[in-house]
Every structure is written in C-alpha cells, then in structure tokens.
Amino acid sequence: MIRLEGLCKSYDRKSPIIRDASFDLPDGSALAILGPSGSGKTTLLRLIAGLELPDDGTIWRDGEVISEPGWAIAPHRRGMGFLFQSPALWPHMTVAQNIRFGLAGWARPAARQRLEELLAQTGLEALSDRFPHQISGGEARRAALARALAPRPACLLMDEPLTHLDADLKQEMLALILSSAAAARASLVYVTHDPAEAEVVSVRVGRMEAGRLVFPPAGEGGAG
Amino acid sequence: MPALRRRWNALEPILRLVGFSLVGLACLGPLLVLLYGALAALPQHPDWLLLALPTGRRAGLLVNSLELAGGSALAGMTVGFLAALALWRMPGRAARLLRGMALIFLPLPPSIHALAWMAAAQGLNTLLASLGMPEIRLMGWAATLWVQFMALLPLAVGICLVGLHTLDPDALEAGEMLAPGLQVLGQVILPLAAPMLAAGTGFLFLLTLVDHSVPGLFGVNTYALDIYAEFSASSQPGRALLLALPCLVIGFIVLAGMQKGIRRVTQPVVWARKPALQMKLPAWLEILVNLGLGMVTLQVVVPFLTLAGSTGGAVRLWASIWAARSEIRNTFWIATAAALLCVVMGWLAARWLACTRQEPGKAGGAPAAWLVVTAPLAVPAPLIGVALIAWFNRPAFGPAYGSILMPMLAAAARFLPFAAILLAAQFRRVDPLLLDAARLHNTHPLRTFFRIRLPLAAPGLLAAGVVVFALTLGELGATLLVIPPGQSTLTLRLYNYLHYGASEEVAGLSLLLTVLLVAAFGLGALALSLWGWLQEAQS
C-alpha cells in the first residue's frame, strides 16, 4: 500500500506546485489523476517515484517511510516502475538490453526467464535484438512498459503514457497496460488529461486543481 | 518584385557555390598552397621526401609529441568529466556560480597558464629555500604535461558539461528508476555521452599536438616546434609541409574520428529541463569526483593569485600596460578583424554544414563538408603561418604582406571552424517553419535575410564573434611567423618575455590579457542572456 500525507513541493518558494497532497493506494488498486497542463500532475508522480524530493509531507510504502523532508529512499529502491510521456528507451541498447537493465541483480537464468515472459507479454519476441530506432513508436512504448515491469514493481507510475499515439494504438496500449498491471498485481497511478482515458483506467479519479489533489465525493465519479 | 525574385532565385545557386568555394579555399587553401610548393620543388629536391618519414630523432620527437598530446587529453577529459559530473548533479545557485568559476579561464591561452605556474613554482621555491629544502624545478616533459593539462581543464569541463546537458533527461531518469547510480553512470550516461567525450578527447589531443607554446617555454621540443624551427632555418614551405606530414595524417585521422561528436554539438536538442538526478555514487567515486572539482578550482586559483600577486603593484602594472600600448592596439584590431571575417565566412560555412533538412538526432550536411570545414583544427599552427607566407610573399601582395593583415588572416584561418560550428548549431536550432513562413509571404530573399534570418542567427553570430575574438587574443603559433617586422601582439610580447622567466611586467600583461579575455566572454554571455530575455519578453 502506498500512502501520501501532506505532500508539498515548490520550485521557487512563492508558488507551490503541489499543496498538501494526500491519498492511500491499496495494493493492486488503480488511481487516475486528471488535470490540465501545469497543474502539478507530473510533479506529484515524480515525488512518488523519488525523482523529486518533497518540501514537506511523507510517503509510505507498506507502512515504511520512503520519503520525508530531507530524506528519501533512492528511486530504484522503491519498487516502483515509471512510464514517461516518451518511451525514453536507451538508443545504444537493444530492446532486450533495455528490458534487462533493471534485472542486473538477478541470477542469470531468472533474468532470462523474466525477459522472455515480458517479451511474450508485450509481443516483442521478434524485435528483441532491434535497437530503438529500428522499431515503431507503438513498439517502443511496449518496450518501455516491459522495461518498467521487469523488476516486478509493486506500483506502476504512468505519466500520460499514451501521448502522441493514434486512437487505435492508444486503445491497444491501454489494454496492455491494464492487463500487465493486473498480471503483475501492481497498483497503478495513472496521470492523464483525458477524462475518458482516466475512466477506463480506474473508478477512482482524482483531479489536480492549482496544486491540490481533490477527489470528487463518492457517487460523483470518484472516491477519496 | 516577382521579376526581382526570379533573378534572385537564378542567382542563389551560383552565390551558394561561390560561398562554398570560398569556405573550401579558406579551410584547405593553406594546405593546397603548401602542397603545390612541395610538388613543384620535389623534382629538384627528391631527398625532401625523406622528411615525410620520421626517423631517428624526429621519430622520437613524434612519439613524444603524441604521448604529450594523448596524456594531456586523457588526463584533461578524465578529470574534466569527474568535475563536470559534480557540477551537473549539483542543484541551485551554487552550482551556477561554480560552473562559472570552472569555465572562467577557458579562453586563457596555455602560455599564460604556463607563466602562472612558473610564478607559482618561483613562490614555492622561495618558501622551500627559506625552509632549507631543495627547490622544485618546473621544466621538461612533466612540467609541460602538467601545465598543458591544467590549461585544457576548463575546456574539458565545458565539453563534458555540454555532453551531459544534451542527454535526454527522461532516459536518465528511466535508468535511475531501475538501477543504482554506478550502473546508470556506466551503462547509460557514459555510452550516451561517448561521442561527445570522444570528440572532446580528440579536440584536446589536436590542440596539444598543433601548438608549441607550452613545450617551448619548458625547454621541450615537440613536432610542432620542429616544424617552426625547420621553416625558420630553411624558409622552404615545401620542406615544412613534408616534415609536418606525419603530424597532419595523425591529425586528420583523429579529426575524422571526432566527426560524430562534433556534429552532435549542432543537434537541435534543447531540453526544457535538467534531470533531477539523486544518483548516489559509491564513496570511492564521490572522492574522485570531488578531487576533480578540486583540480578545477586549482586551475582557477593558482593563475589568478600568482598573476595578481606578481604584478608589482598598480603603478608597475600601469607602466607595463603603457609600455605595451602598441601591442595592445594591434591585438585588438587583429582580434576584431579576425572575428568579423570568421563570422562572415562562418556563416557561409554553416550554411554548407546545415544545408540538408534535419532528421531527428542527426546533424545535416555532407560528411565531406564537415571534414573540410573542421580541417584547420588538425593543421599545426606554424604550418598555417608558413602557408600564408608562401601565399602572400610575392610582389603582388607587397603592402598586405608587410601589414597586420597577415596575423589577422592567420587567426581567421585557424579559428574559422569554431565560428562555423557555432553558427551551424544556431542555424539548426531555428525552427525551419519560421523560414518557410517568410517564404510563404513571398518576401524578397534580402528582406527575409535582414528581417528573419539575421535576427534568428544573432545569438550564434555573437557567440562565434566572441569565441574567435578571444582565441585570437591568445594566438601565438602562426602569429610568430607572420607578424611583420617592427610589429607585435600582446601574446607575442609576453612569449618573448617569458623565455626570461616570470617578471612583474609579464605578470601585469598576462593579468591584462586575462581580464580582456574574461571580459570578452562575460560581455558575450551577458549579451546572449539579454537577447534571450528580450525574445522571451516579446513572446
């Protein structure tokens, strides 16, 4: 379970980008966060991932503090996967090497088996030896998803992962994300500005408004 | 207007061809002149061919020069990368200040660094003598390597910072989500920055290989110095070229290997944000990173303190400056003229380099064009001087040959690649749609040039002008040969004094040159910031 309490973040001390964000995310559940550009959605996700440090507030994972002002566990130790707006695949590595990157500490046979599982799950078996510039945009997104899932994260953080995809590809990718998260029993925090996409992802939808994360009252499309 | 436009459209390819030919001539002209001279002389002097095969003393000299160039380039880039890593990861205002401090002596010529270290050694020896301890002798290969390494360090830090800042922040953060800092550094950051780091290493290697100012001061003979000595003794440009041939071949091989990295500088990649890396590194690496930062600090503190402390006071400093007023005037005019010439020629060269439509992640322009434009980087400085003498030492060019036009042309011939690369980078940062929009309005090309192209290229023009100006202030290798009798430049005056060791006059003039260089860069940076601010305010 992920728990946020009173999370605050500002870059210039004058206009906070995140104000007092709090929520609980039970294991295996999903939360969609909606909001216009610049409302702080991405920053909230980055705080949870550990890519940014909060000015105030605490983040817990399974009852253990993973971030508080002045102290934080490194991103790779949080057991979270992150999907960026762009696939952000490393251009000098093949698809397989990209996916295996997060399995460095695993025994070789286990890592190989995990790689094969993920390649099959994302339909990338035939492309495992290709470099990112040799695959399509949709395939690159699938490779990025496989890379994020590789170390079996307990929570997947998604920052508008379907941006710049056409409608068909969006649906296909969204289905893959949801099935993959379900198969991995990972909880999901999904940031988007598309209400339809948010509704597909989760019954629980939060909205970022001027840095505050607000949940509509139960029965109005969300539950806090 | 349409008729005028049609005439212009017909003229444009011809003008472009003329422009590219001029650039080709400026970049390869010196070598072609020397080649012609050598080929013409070979039938009478077939034994000259032996000069191209370094044997005996010259083979040893070549090996030593390569070792010096390789050693200082590798040491510079290694320490520079460690320091850049520290500066890159550092957040906030302190990092900006430290970055400024690390790069402040970037335009300082190596000979001034040499002077500063000589003065520092003198001071240290005075202290050691008072303690009854033996003196440290700052001479020979080790001293040359140390000073050259220190002189190149700010450039190395700058190149590494550019390399790190052009990495995709998402790609780095994706690594950070999955693995510890050392793995991200080794498997993501280093491979992604490799082309730039390799180009930087090659660049430092070439800078050391083609320059002889520092080795000359520490009593070390190098291949570049031998080229200068050979021409001084024989006055035969052909002999100088044949002697320089091994050095040129190595230089061009290195230059060809650097192309990918050089072209990456001109990629239109400007990330909206910097990665917020927590990246914890092992303790041993953190120690090395901090040591790198310490070395960079040393590179600033020692020259500044020793120069400021050796001037002999304000009156003596003013007297030194007054005595060198004609050199200061010459230097200013030469640097200004070289900067203007390089900006104009650099524009033509940059059009050539960036003439193809951009593909994501790839720089435009044919590889051959890049190799031609960057060719002067691989040519030893004295050889440029020799070529200009061979070219202009004839009755038709009489007045030009005996004027400060010669050092101006020498500086322009040496530093044109810098202007071209900076301008190509600027061209590629301009959204092509802006130019297409001007064409759609059927604007006359000249109007488009003055109203659209020129303002869009302004930051690149300014940066190119400032860089060439600053580099010319410190130019020595070619100026030494082409400066007309009775004339001198500030760097030349300093170099002549330096052979007698550090003195108050040398320290004063070096301090003046340092201030001029830093002021030129500072004003350039300020103008660029103001330009950016104005653009932002307008939008």
Side-chain angles (χ1 to χ4, degrees):
Chain A
M1 163 136 139
I2 307 286
R3 184 167 184 215
L4 272 69
E5 198 173 277
L7 223 54
C8 294
K9 178 74 183 174
S10 73
Y11 290 112
D12 56 7
R13 304 264 162 210
K14 284 177 195 159
S15 46
I17 189 110
I18 302 287
R19 303 164 194 245
D20 198 21
S22 305
F23 66 79
D24 288 343
L25 186 69
D27 289 342
S29 65
L31 166 68
I33 299 176
L34 270 170
S37 298
S39 60
K41 309 184 296 286
T42 298
T43 306
L44 180 63
L45 217 54
R46 290 169 63 79
L47 287 170
I48 302 170
L51 295 171
E52 303 275 355
L53 300 180
D55 298 331
D56 205 359
T58 310
I59 306 174
W60 283 270
R61 213 201 92 187
D62 297 333
E64 185 192 344
V65 174
I66 57 170
S67 177
E68 59 186 6
W71 181 86
I73 285 185
H76 70 279
R77 293 185 189 279
R78 295 186 175 207
M80 294 180 185
F82 200 114
L83 218 57
F84 297 85
Q85 283 184 23
S86 67
L89 294 176
W90 301 302
H92 61 290
M93 293 186 199
T94 61
V95 167
Q97 286 167 338
N98 263 282
I99 298 170
R100 279 190 75 152
F101 181 83
L103 304 175
W106 291 39
R108 194 166 285 197
R112 194 179 307 127
Q113 194 190 341
R114 180 70 182 141
L115 172 68
E116 281 163 11
E117 265 172 43
L118 287 162
L119 287 171
Q121 193 179 335
T122 48
L124 292 170
E125 298 104 315
L127 306 174
S128 64
D129 291 331
R130 300 244 184 119
F131 285 92
H133 68 274
Q134 296 169 319
I135 59 177
S136 70
E139 289 159 352
R141 304 273 175 156
R142 281 190 272 149
L145 176 65
R147 184 180 65 180
L149 287 167
R152 296 190 194 282
C155 178
L156 272 173
L157 306 170
M158 309 239 161
D159 184 11
E160 304 193 37
L162 308 184
T163 309
H164 307 309
L165 289 184
D166 62 47
D168 287 347
L169 215 52
K170 252 186 191 177
Q171 281 200 340
E172 185 193 312
M173 189 68 198
L174 190 55
L176 181 64
I177 287 172
L178 295 176
S179 64
S180 303
R185 287 191 289 278
S187 46
L188 189 65
V189 182
Y190 191 101
V191 156
T192 178
H193 59 262
D194 180 355
E197 207 175 296
E199 272 176 30
V200 174
V201 171
S202 172
V203 288
R204 193 176 170 210
V205 179
R207 180 177 286 278
M208 290 298 296
E209 286 175 4
R212 288 186 194 282
L213 179 62
V214 291
F215 292 95
E220 284 182 33
Chain B
M1 181 69 99
L4 197 62
R5 188 176 174 83
R6 269 201 302 279
R7 271 209 303 278
W8 176 267
N9 285 346
L11 262 178
E12 203 185 351
I14 299 167
L15 288 175
R16 191 172 283 191
L17 188 69
V18 171
F20 293 167
S21 308
L22 274 174
V23 170
L25 195 67
C27 295
L28 294 180
L31 284 181
L32 293 176
V33 166
L34 292 175
L35 192 64
Y36 173 76
L39 290 176
L42 271 177
Q44 283 96 46
H45 308 282
D47 55 311
W48 284 11
L49 268 178
L50 292 173
L51 286 167
L53 296 169
T55 50
R57 185 190 70 87
R58 274 190 291 109
L61 205 57
L62 183 62
V63 171
N64 284 344
S65 301
L66 293 176
E67 280 175 1
L68 176 69
S72 50
L74 281 175
M77 283 306 282
T78 307
V79 177
F81 182 75
L82 291 169
L85 200 58
L87 294 168
W88 181 55
R89 287 156 67 213
M90 217 177 271
R93 216 170 268 177
R96 263 208 300 275
L97 262 174
L98 274 175
R99 263 197 292 271
M101 183 210 74
L103 302 178
I104 197 162
F105 283 167
L106 193 140
L108 210 60
S111 52
I112 305 296
H113 280 272
L115 163 86
W117 284 98
M118 280 176 174
Q122 261 181 18
L124 187 65
N125 282 337
T126 312
L127 183 73
L128 289 174
S130 69
L131 295 171
M133 293 168 79
E135 288 188 350
I136 294 169
R137 208 166 160 264
L138 198 66
M139 283 301 273
W141 285 100
T144 308
L145 183 64
W146 173 258
V147 171
Q148 193 72 24
F149 154 65
M150 277 288 161
L152 294 177
L153 200 49
L155 186 59
V157 174
I159 292 169
C160 292
L161 276 173
V162 172
L164 291 171
H165 278 283
T166 49
L167 300 180
D168 177 1
D170 283 353
L172 305 184
E173 287 173 354
E176 217 189 0
M177 286 303 300
L178 293 165
L182 191 61
Q183 194 187 336
V184 177
L185 180 67
Q187 292 182 22
V188 179
I189 294 175
L190 277 174
L192 289 179
M196 189 71 95
L197 299 182
T201 311
F203 187 45
L204 301 195
F205 177 88
L206 288 178
L207 280 180
T208 309
L209 192 66
V210 302
D211 192 53
H212 61 72
S213 59
V214 174
L217 289 170
F218 290 105
V220 167
N221 197 9
T222 58
Y223 213 82
L225 194 59
D226 221 39
I227 297 166
Y228 170 73
E230 168 60 43
F231 183 73
S232 299
S234 70
S235 297
Q236 294 288 352
R239 281 182 68 91
L241 176 73
L242 289 166
L243 185 72
L245 211 55
C247 203
L248 277 172
V249 169
I250 293 164
F252 274 99
I253 291 170
V254 172
L255 192 65
M258 288 162 58
Q259 291 299 312
K260 193 176 171 190
I262 296 178
R263 294 172 68 151
R264 182 140 144 213
V265 180
T266 65
Q267 268 183 33
V269 180
V270 182
W271 301 109
R273 64 181 181 86
K274 176 176 173 274
L277 293 182
Q278 318 298 324
M279 216 167 80
K280 291 226 170 9
L281 297 174
W284 62 268
L285 191 52
E286 287 290 1
I287 292 171
L288 287 179
V289 163
N290 287 316
L291 273 177
L293 207 53
M295 295 288 254
V296 170
T297 313
L298 202 66
Q299 159 271 139
V300 178
V301 171
V302 170
F304 182 76
L305 287 185
T306 48
L307 291 182
S310 316
T311 53
V315 176
R316 191 83 186 90
L317 176 64
W318 176 247
S320 308
I321 292 172
W322 185 251
R325 61 190 181 283
S326 99
E327 283 88 348
I328 294 170
R329 195 174 47 238
N330 277 348
T331 305
F332 177 79
W333 287 121
I334 290 168
T336 306
L340 286 174
L341 188 62
C342 280
V343 163
V344 175
M345 294 295 285
W347 180 290
L348 297 174
R351 287 291 301 272
W352 196 13
L353 297 181
C355 63
T356 51
R357 276 285 160 137
Q358 29 190 272
E359 288 170 55
K362 286 191 178 172
W370 278 87
L371 203 57
V372 168
V373 172
T374 52
L377 295 176
V379 181
L383 211 56
I384 301 246
V386 172
L388 285 175
I389 290 172
W391 201 341
F392 283 88
N393 188 11
R394 53 192 83 207
F397 295 114
Y401 185 67
S403 72
I404 59 166
L405 183 74
M406 293 297 285
M408 185 268 279
L409 288 175
R414 280 199 71 193
F415 304 132
L416 176 59
F418 295 94
I421 291 169
L422 284 167
L423 279 164
Q426 180 63 31
F427 286 171
R428 292 182 55 79
R429 281 185 176 90
V430 170
D431 185 350
L433 292 178
L434 297 177
L435 301 175
D436 288 347
R439 289 172 65 193
L440 281 172
H441 284 88
N442 200 25
T443 319
H444 185 268
L446 282 178
R447 192 170 139 83
T448 308
F449 178 81
F450 285 109
R451 295 293 301 275
I452 310 288
R453 273 187 193 278
L454 207 56
L456 287 174
L461 290 170
L462 185 69
V466 168
V467 165
V468 174
F469 183 87
L471 289 171
T472 307
L473 288 184
E475 209 291 324
L476 182 73
T479 308
L480 209 55
L481 282 166
V482 298
I483 192 83
Q487 304 279 4
S488 186
T489 64
L490 197 51
T491 311
L492 206 55
R493 186 182 171 100
L494 277 168
Y495 187 73
N496 290 332
Y497 275 133
L498 274 171
H499 284 95
Y500 308 105
S503 69
E504 288 176 350
E505 180 158 13
V506 176
L509 291 179
S510 300
L511 194 65
L512 173 74
L513 192 59
T514 308
V515 170
L516 286 176
L517 288 163
V518 171
F521 261 63
L523 283 175
L526 188 70
L528 283 176
S529 313
L530 275 175
W531 180 264
W533 178 78
L534 272 175
Q535 297 291 98
E536 229 169 70
Q538 276 175 7
S539 65

